Amino acid sequence: MQRLVLVLALLFPAAALSEPISGYQFMEPSTRQLQDDDFLNPAFFLVERGRQLWDGAWPGAPEGAASCQSCHGAPESSMRGVSARYPALDPATGKLVNLELKIQSEIARKLSAEPPQYESADLLALTALIAFQSRGMPLDVPTGEKVAGWLAQGEEIYTTRRGQLNLSCQNCHGEHWGQKLRGDTISQGHSNAFPIFRLIWDEVGSLHRMFSWCMEAVRAEPYEYGSEEYLALELYLADRGRGLTIESPGVRR
Ligand code: HEC
Ligand code: HEC
């Protein structure tokens, strides 16, 4: 029996390890309960705000101007599964975009309006609304030659030690998950619940805000929200989390 286990371990060394575990599993029961119940989930007001923005004329737009709704119809059908596929190459530009950047460009191009800034309540609201439509669906970002360079860049950033503490993302989320760090249990650092309501922020934040928080935790200089570095990292993380389902909008400590 023991020999069999050993042989299996040698044959499939990575399989057991590479089964991704959602950050949800590392949360206290009280935090999980907040995510489990849409009425208690403090991120939910943003989904509702997102729905108002989706349905109505964009703030400041002339009467009768197009809205998300007038082109796309109900988000429940038109946006189902969309966020599971992002970040993706934008057909219009050929560039890698995440959901936030895609929404910004929709507002600029299709509504001819000034897009809300990254991390603004309006952008988080539309992001939460659209991500929510993929809840329960598996992460399914693009693979293959066209994104290979982005994935390689993401992996490079993920595994590079940085900051005064000289730690990489991989050091904490790949090698030390399950361990305690200043009141947190370090998870595998997956992206499947964003945007999240984070209790210690007392508000909703994007994945890129989380990246910056982690970089600051090791006293490294963070990149800009929406930067190529963060997009590459986002794609790499979604690929690394393949098998997980979307929980957005999530709740974390
Ligand atoms: C010093 C250890 C440490 C390092 C290094 C670190 N993180 Fe984190 N990270 C944390 C802690 C602690 C949390 C909050 C608890 C948790 O969810 O893991 C967290 C949370 C996260 C989450 C949210 C997980 C969820 O389920 O909501 C993501 C995503 C993440 N980190 C990505 C990264 C990336 C990308 C890097 C590298 C740029 C990085 N982290 C570097 C400690 C670290
Ligand atoms: C004038 C019509 C029009 C308006 C207004 C419009 N869209 Fe779109 N949208 C489209 C079309 C057509 C596409 C597909 C082609 C593309 O990606 O540009 C699209 C694509 C998208 C996608 C990507 C879907 C995918 O499958 O990858 C998202 C997300 C999106 N729109 C969100 C929005 C949001 C949010 C608004 C409101 C702020 C909005 N759109 C307003 C026509 C519109």
Side-chain angles (χ1 to χ4, degrees):
M1 182 62 193
Q2 259 184 352
R3 272 189 62 179
L4 179 68
V5 172
L6 184 68
V7 169
L8 284 176
L10 287 175
L11 278 175
F12 304 105
L17 279 178
S18 68
E19 183 78 21
I21 304 171
S22 170
Y24 174 87
Q25 303 295 343
F26 295 85
M27 293 296 122
E28 299 287 335
S30 57
T31 311
R32 289 191 211 171
Q33 272 166 19
L34 290 177
Q35 180 174 307
D36 291 342
D37 186 336
D38 292 349
F39 289 99
L40 294 178
N41 184 332
F44 239 78
F45 80 97
L46 268 189
V47 173
E48 280 151 23
R49 176 170 180 163
R51 186 59 195 254
Q52 285 162 4
L53 289 168
W54 179 275
D55 286 340
W58 193 256
E63 190 75 22
S67 65
C68 317
Q69 166 76 27
S70 68
C71 281
H72 288 286
E76 287 80 6
S77 45
S78 62
M79 293 293 129
R80 179 94 184 123
V82 168
S83 94
R85 292 189 278 99
Y86 276 73
L89 297 173
D90 191 348
T93 61
K95 284 186 160 180
L96 188 69
V97 288
N98 64 0
L99 200 51
E100 284 90 340
L101 296 188
K102 180 69 185 176
I103 295 167
Q104 282 182 327
S105 88
E106 286 293 290
I107 295 167
R109 286 168 45 219
K110 312 272 171 66
L111 302 179
S112 306
E114 183 69 32
Q117 295 208 329
Y118 216 102
E119 218 52 34
S120 64
D122 283 352
L123 191 60
L124 284 167
L126 279 170
T127 309
L129 172 75
I130 294 174
F132 173 57
Q133 310 308 325
S134 296
R135 205 197 247 179
M137 297 179 75
L139 295 173
D140 188 20
V141 285
T143 51
E145 231 172 84
K146 284 188 176 160
V147 293
W150 287 101
L151 279 172
Q153 187 186 354
E155 182 171 17
E156 163 83 31
I157 296 172
Y158 197 79
T159 50
T160 300
R161 288 174 178 270
R162 64 187 72 236
Q164 282 173 27
L165 302 194
N166 198 30
L167 290 171
S168 68
C169 319
Q170 167 69 11
N171 288 147
C172 279
H173 293 296
E175 293 156 19
H176 291 288
W177 55 269
Q179 295 183 10
K180 287 276 180 195
L181 184 78
R182 283 189 238 118
D184 276 314
T185 304
I186 302 175
S187 73
Q188 294 183 345
H190 291 298
S191 57
N192 58 316
F194 284 81
I196 57 167
F197 188 95
R198 199 157 181 233
L199 299 173
I200 64 170
W201 290 340
D202 196 24
E203 59 184 4
V204 176
S206 70
L207 181 63
H208 290 191
R209 180 172 174 188
M210 189 79 229
F211 290 167
S212 290
W213 184 88
C214 285
M215 292 213 173
E216 280 160 8
V218 297
R219 312 248 187 291
E221 186 67 38
Y223 297 105
E224 298 274 325
Y225 295 160
S227 61
E228 292 198 347
E229 287 86 355
Y230 277 175
L231 291 174
L233 202 45
E234 183 170 353
L235 182 68
Y236 174 73
L237 271 196
D239 189 51
R240 175 178 175 268
R242 229 172 256 284
L244 293 173
T245 54
I246 291 178
E247 299 172 8
S248 311
V251 182
R252 295 289 185 264
R253 176 176 176 275

